Amino acid sequence: MTAQNPASSALPERPVLIAFLLFVVVGGGASVAIRMTYAELAPFWAGTSRFALAALVFWGLVLFRKLPVPKGRALLGAVLFGTLTVGLAFVLIGWGLVATPASRYQVLMATVPLLTLFLASLQGIEAITRRGLFGSLLTVAGIAITVGGASTADISLPHVAAIIFAAAFISEGGVLIKKFPPNPPVMTNAIGMTVGAVILGIASLASGEAWTIPTQTNTWLAFIYLVVFVTVVAFLLYMFVLGKWSASGTSYGFVLVPLVTIVVASTLAGEVITPNFLIGAGLVLAGVLVGALLPSKAKPAPVEECKDRSGQVLPRCV
């Protein structure tokens, strides 16, 4: 991961864009798989075991590549990232998904780009733009139309609030890590997953959950998918994109993921693709294109930055 802090979410290079799209596709089935594991596993225990196993994979990669463990601010940044985006966020997500359908969960997680824009602006990482704000609003509206009527379950306000707070923690983690020296994505995830697993384990013990092992094939398949493809592959892709692109641009993956989730849910549960889905999908894609993927127009440097001490115009401003 590189220490880039781009001021806008302009179109990234092709490898970064491909990684971004793969992250969206792989992450699309996460919320469906999490709810499937609840058939046999308690929420916090499911998260603890998932992230603990993933942490072992990442530490194995660290040893294989002979990466040095970071120190000082680099270590602190990875610990804070794991605390926010894994530990605290997935404690709230694990509990929130107990009473929240996967489709509604993804609608709530679509607030990540909006939260990221505001948090990045408040902390001086990125400049908020009207186009970025409009794109975020457009994508959230599209997701609401796409999945808003997909579930008839009653809304639990405490569980909804938990997921919104989780979105805020994920947004802040993506913004905060930009302020610390960069680490290789493998190392950041090894540390982050370890910290997150410890926090989830404490939550599991505190709530008196039973630490059981699945016995059903569907539970095992969902759990393996979460560990290998979501927790390892998707997190690596996310960290790679975050290191090469802006925090707000990366966060737009969270508004595309619900589209994949609906497809996965329709395949596994026989849900019908409705006209609302097509209309909402069009709005989401338009919002992502406008707010994150279209290249931004370069702004001229301020006059005071274009002259040296003698008043001569610098070559870079010509």
Side-chain angles (χ1 to χ4, degrees):
M1 190 176 70
T2 58
Q4 293 184 6
N5 294 324
S8 68
S9 53
L11 184 69
E13 296 179 354
R14 181 175 296 180
V16 181
L17 185 57
I18 292 174
F20 172 77
L21 294 176
L22 287 174
F23 163 72
V24 170
V25 172
V26 172
S31 58
V32 177
I34 290 173
R35 285 179 60 85
M36 288 178 65
T37 63
Y38 289 175
E40 294 188 85
L41 302 178
F44 299 146
W45 164 235
T48 301
S49 54
R50 166 190 170 188
F51 286 109
L53 289 174
L56 290 176
V57 173
F58 281 114
W59 281 116
L61 292 173
V62 167
L63 293 175
F64 177 77
R65 296 177 56 183
K66 299 180 180 180
L67 297 174
V69 177
K71 299 178 181 179
R73 284 179 52 79
L75 176 60
L76 177 61
V79 170
L80 290 176
F81 182 80
T83 300
L84 293 171
T85 64
V86 181
L88 298 179
F90 278 89
V91 164
L92 294 170
I93 288 171
W95 183 74
L97 272 171
V98 171
T100 307
S103 59
R104 183 169 290 131
Y105 161 81
Q106 295 295 180
V107 172
L108 298 173
M109 291 304 294
T111 60
V112 167
L114 283 172
L115 294 170
T116 301
L117 281 172
F118 287 115
L119 290 171
S121 176
L122 287 174
Q123 296 170 66
I125 303 296
E126 299 180 30
I128 191 169
T129 64
R130 292 181 180 178
R131 196 183 74 175
L133 183 58
F134 176 73
S136 295
L137 293 173
L138 194 61
T139 52
V140 171
I143 291 296
I145 292 173
T146 301
V147 300
S151 174
T152 58
D154 294 333
I155 296 177
S156 170
L157 292 180
H159 291 82
V160 167
I163 293 172
I164 292 175
F165 276 109
F169 282 130
I170 290 173
S171 301
E172 177 59 20
V175 172
L176 188 64
I177 200 170
K178 293 285 188 178
K179 292 189 171 184
F180 290 86
N183 295 305
V186 170
M187 179 61 73
T188 299
N189 281 291
I191 296 172
M193 300 287 179
T194 302
V195 173
V198 170
I199 293 174
L200 282 159
I202 292 172
S204 180
L205 291 172
S207 59
E209 292 181 344
W211 288 20
T212 58
I213 298 177
T215 59
Q216 300 177 17
T217 301
N218 286 343
T219 307
W220 271 113
L221 290 175
F223 184 77
I224 292 171
Y225 172 79
L226 284 172
V227 173
V228 177
F229 292 99
V230 177
T231 315
V232 175
V233 175
F235 267 70
L236 274 176
L237 291 169
Y238 176 78
M239 290 302 302
F240 172 75
V241 175
L242 185 61
K244 301 291 185 178
W245 202 7
S246 63
S248 60
T250 304
S251 70
Y252 271 80
F254 290 94
V255 299
L256 285 176
V257 164
L259 301 180
V260 180
T261 301
I262 291 298
V263 174
V264 172
S266 67
T267 302
L268 296 179
E271 295 183 10
V272 178
I273 301 298
T274 64
N276 279 352
F277 173 83
L278 298 177
I279 294 172
L283 284 175
V284 170
L285 294 176
V288 174
L289 182 65
V290 171
L293 301 181
L294 287 179
S296 300
K297 294 181 179 179
K299 295 182 179 180
V303 174
E304 60 270 18
E305 295 182 8
C306 286
K307 295 182 179 180
D308 58 19
R309 293 182 179 180
S310 63
Q312 296 296 319
V313 177
L314 297 173
R316 64 181 175 84
C317 297
V318 177

